[in-house]
Amino acid sequence: MNSTFSRRSFAQLLGATAGAAAIPALGTGAADAQMTAQTSGGLHFPQGFLWGSATASYQVEGAVHEDGRGQTIWDTFSHTPGKTHNGDTGDVADDHYHLYKEDIAIMKGLGLKTYRFSVAWARVFPEGTGAPNPKGLDFYHRMLDTLLDAGIEPYCTLYHWDLPQTLQDKGGWENRDTAKAFADYAGYTAGKLSGKVKHFMTMNEIRTFVELGYSNGMHAPGLKLNEKRVAQLNHYAVLGHGMAVQAIRAAAPGVKVGLAENVAAATPVFDSPAHVEAATKAMREENASYLTVIREGKYTDLYLKRLGANAPKFTPEEMKLIGAPLDFQGINVYQPLWIRALNPEDSSETLREQGYAIVPDPSSYPHMFSPWLTIGPEALYWAPKLANQLWDLKEIYITENGASSADVMTPEGTVLDIDRTMFLRNYLTQLHRGVSEGVPVKGYFLWSLLDNYEWADGYEKRFGIHYVDFKTQKRTPKLSAHFYKSVIEKNGLA
Ligand code: GBH
């Protein structure tokens, strides 16, 4: 050990970040760098890989009464007693509405190439439809100008769950008119921002707002509807996506359109042909009413059969809109869904017809601070790979990946989040594995830049690589921020 102890590894032991200059110059051009990565075993990403970070409007902005913003379902829900941890609301959150310049300086310091943010619909159309509110869009223009000055490429999500309350009062996603209202808002906003933004995502995680918002009631608007009603509003949500794609293309020719969906990240229990085949089937079936219907323009036979009389009503024209071709695909990947092949002993009709089995987590299974966030770095290898195999996606972004930790500020004023750092390092290693095999992942957005309002978990579960003191709004980089900065500098892990 001592004999191989280089000055560089000593510096690393001391906690210094090995900068680009410390990496031996092994090649000059892009092709050389690529060769070097493959032949030296170094974990480098292709040149131009887009390293980013992501946030969402209600989770960071605050300023909920400012400049004519309308009320949203999250204002209502978070102010309803008993709905969120500690009664926490997004009234102030990270006060990013006022502190965006400071936050963009932090992004620049990290070396971010790109930033994914979302627009609050109720800032642009306070009532969801009708007259636009120019002051609302002005905020995004100011933010985007600052971002572009910093040399950071914006990726914009048009709906990250903050539905205008006026629309919920008319049934929300249960009302087909909401899909149309969304398309109108999306087209209008993309048209206004397209001079500055070239990549638009219609929605974030349709699965989450449908299931948590309308089925188990854990998120706004907090409803627990029956299976039939949920299937129908799920249909209107994916229809809203499809109508928005059409509206954005009409209003902003030349921009790229996609969405950010949290696929059920089907992951084979181990790498054998039978388990991989099972996981591929699971990727398609477990996402049947979300990414699968969007990518194939039809619900799977099994999905419709299982729902029977509760299946959604739809027309061929609607299915065509839902299945409209996209320019890129965003996938949010957190926890794996472990899948195995069937055994001859698996006799249940359900298992036989689907051709795979979901393996439940043993009680000893490790997770991050959020109990749902079970650890499985392989998910970041298999999810993009299997999705690409099924749907030939061509341009994929990991639009979210990250972790919660029980962060503590040390007396010296730092946060040593070794668990989050370990999580990121292992997930990125698996992402590298896929990219080096040719899975077309073009960028990665770490969730999240800052600790922020974690929905029903309030401010308790921190996902940031920067610690936020919510009393003073002071931002402090955690160990994970230093780690991520070094990844960006090196364009890789080794
Ligand atoms: C993403 O959701 C969101 O896009 C983002 O806004 C959020 O802050 C981030 O991840 C971190 O959570 O409490 O047991 O009912 C991730 C997908 C789906 C994870 C719903 C939490 C609730 C599990 N989420 N899930 S539970």
Side-chain angles (χ1 to χ4, degrees):
M1 167 86 191
N2 269 345
S3 58
T4 57
F5 209 64
S6 70
R7 283 176 66 180
R8 187 173 144 228
S9 57
F10 186 65
Q12 278 170 336
L13 273 181
L14 285 175
T17 298
I23 302 296
L26 290 170
T28 43
D32 285 348
Q34 190 76 28
M35 278 271 286
T36 302
Q38 279 156 12
T39 54
S40 71
L43 297 175
H44 297 104
F45 284 74
Q47 224 191 17
F49 191 81
L50 281 184
W51 295 104
S53 187
T55 66
S57 46
Y58 189 68
Q59 295 182 272
V60 299
E61 286 178 1
V64 293
H65 299 300
E66 226 145 315
D67 294 332
R69 174 187 178 278
Q71 189 175 328
T72 76
I73 56 173
W74 268 96
D75 299 303
T76 310
F77 185 78
S78 66
H79 280 274
T80 307
K83 297 296 186 192
T84 68
H85 175 85
N86 231 358
D88 289 346
T89 75
D91 285 1
V92 179
D94 290 322
D95 199 21
H96 173 75
Y97 195 79
H98 300 112
L99 300 178
Y100 68 92
K101 284 188 180 152
E102 181 183 331
D103 293 337
I104 291 168
I106 289 172
M107 296 178 208
K108 193 174 178 184
L110 267 182
L112 289 193
K113 313 278 181 235
T114 178
Y115 170 55
R116 173 176 173 237
F117 71 104
S118 82
V119 172
W121 183 346
R123 288 199 192 279
V124 184
F125 291 95
E127 306 288 316
T129 56
N133 166 42
K135 282 186 162 181
L137 263 184
D138 285 349
F139 165 68
Y140 297 104
H141 280 295
R142 289 195 293 281
M143 193 278 287
L144 286 166
D145 289 340
T146 313
L147 199 67
L148 292 170
D149 279 350
I152 300 169
E153 171 85 16
Y155 277 56
C156 174
T157 311
L158 290 159
Y159 183 69
H160 201 124
W161 310 349
D162 40 3
L163 186 72
Q165 181 62 45
T166 328
L167 296 184
Q168 185 55 44
D169 295 343
K170 297 179 202 150
W173 290 105
E174 279 205 273
N175 184 343
R176 195 184 188 282
D177 294 345
T178 298
K180 172 75 169 70
F182 176 64
D184 291 346
Y185 146 72
Y188 177 83
T189 305
K192 293 285 181 195
L193 299 183
S194 61
K196 294 167 188 172
V197 179
K198 300 300 171 204
H199 290 79
F200 286 93
M201 284 150 281
T202 55
M203 295 181 178
N204 178 70
E205 298 195 353
I206 301 173
R207 174 192 297 276
T208 306
F209 74 80
V210 166
E211 295 181 4
L212 275 72
Y214 291 86
S215 177
N216 74 21
M218 305 261 298
H219 279 190
L223 300 176
K224 293 183 187 173
L225 305 178
N226 64 32
E227 184 179 69
K228 188 180 175 71
R229 286 171 70 177
V230 172
Q232 192 62 48
L233 77 90
N234 180 157
H235 177 69
Y236 293 147
V238 292
L239 177 62
H241 153 81
M243 291 167 87
V245 172
Q246 192 180 49
I248 295 167
R249 291 206 197 292
V255 303
K256 290 192 170 186
V257 189
L259 82 159
E261 182 58 12
N262 55 331
V263 286
T267 305
V269 285
F270 64 82
D271 194 343
S272 78
H275 292 313
V276 173
E277 192 193 328
T280 310
K281 288 181 184 155
M283 172 61 81
R284 183 163 179 270
E285 215 54 68
E286 296 296 319
N287 295 299
S289 63
Y290 307 109
L291 198 53
T292 306
V293 71
I294 286 171
R295 283 292 168 182
E296 300 183 10
K298 72 191 273 294
Y299 292 108
T300 68
D301 295 341
L302 203 52
Y303 174 77
L304 293 176
K305 181 179 167 197
R306 294 236 168 109
L307 283 177
N310 291 337
K313 297 204 177 3
F314 53 84
T315 66
E317 295 74 44
E318 289 172 352
M319 298 317 287
K320 202 166 169 231
L321 282 169
I322 293 168
L326 299 173
D327 300 302
F328 68 94
Q329 182 62 54
I331 56 176
N332 298 356
V333 180
Y334 290 91
Q335 75 280 40
L337 181 68
W338 290 107
I339 302 295
R340 65 168 174 87
L342 299 186
N343 300 316
E345 304 78 58
D346 288 317
S347 56
S348 107
E349 172 68 13
T350 312
L351 290 185
R352 288 273 139 219
E353 55 185 8
Q354 69 186 29
Y356 62 88
I358 296 173
V359 183
D361 294 332
S363 61
S364 57
Y365 198 100
H367 61 79
M368 297 301 291
F369 196 33
S370 309
W372 59 268
L373 218 183
T374 51
I375 302 170
E378 297 85 348
L380 206 44
Y381 171 71
W382 290 104
K385 181 179 163 100
L386 297 183
N388 187 51
Q389 254 163 39
L390 283 168
W391 301 303
D392 190 18
L393 298 176
K394 301 208 165 63
E395 184 174 335
I396 304 175
Y397 297 88
I398 305 304
T399 32
E400 285 181 32
N401 172 246
S404 51
S405 300
D407 296 321
V408 279
M409 180 66 80
T410 65
E412 295 75 36
T414 73
V415 177
L416 297 171
D417 54 340
I418 48 177
D419 54 346
R420 179 181 291 107
T421 304
M422 172 182 73
F423 179 103
L424 294 171
R425 186 171 53 237
N426 283 284
Y427 273 72
L428 285 174
T429 303
Q430 292 292 327
L431 178 62
H432 179 270
R433 185 180 158 208
V435 170
S436 61
E437 280 179 19
V439 181
V441 178
K442 308 295 181 193
Y444 169 89
F445 295 81
L446 199 162
W447 186 274
S448 183
L449 181 72
L450 305 169
D451 293 336
N452 57 44
Y453 181 69
E454 178 57 9
W455 307 111
D457 289 334
Y459 296 100
E460 207 220 354
K461 298 288 191 291
R462 294 172 177 270
F463 274 81
I465 56 173
H466 292 87
Y467 187 89
V468 176
D469 179 332
F470 291 104
K471 290 203 182 71
T472 62
Q473 291 298 341
K474 183 169 189 260
R475 283 90 160 113
T476 306
K478 304 178 191 176
L479 178 72
S480 54
H482 294 289
F483 165 73
Y484 195 44
K485 185 177 157 104
S486 84
V487 169
I488 298 172
E489 268 170 15
K490 292 182 291 190
N491 194 31
L493 291 143

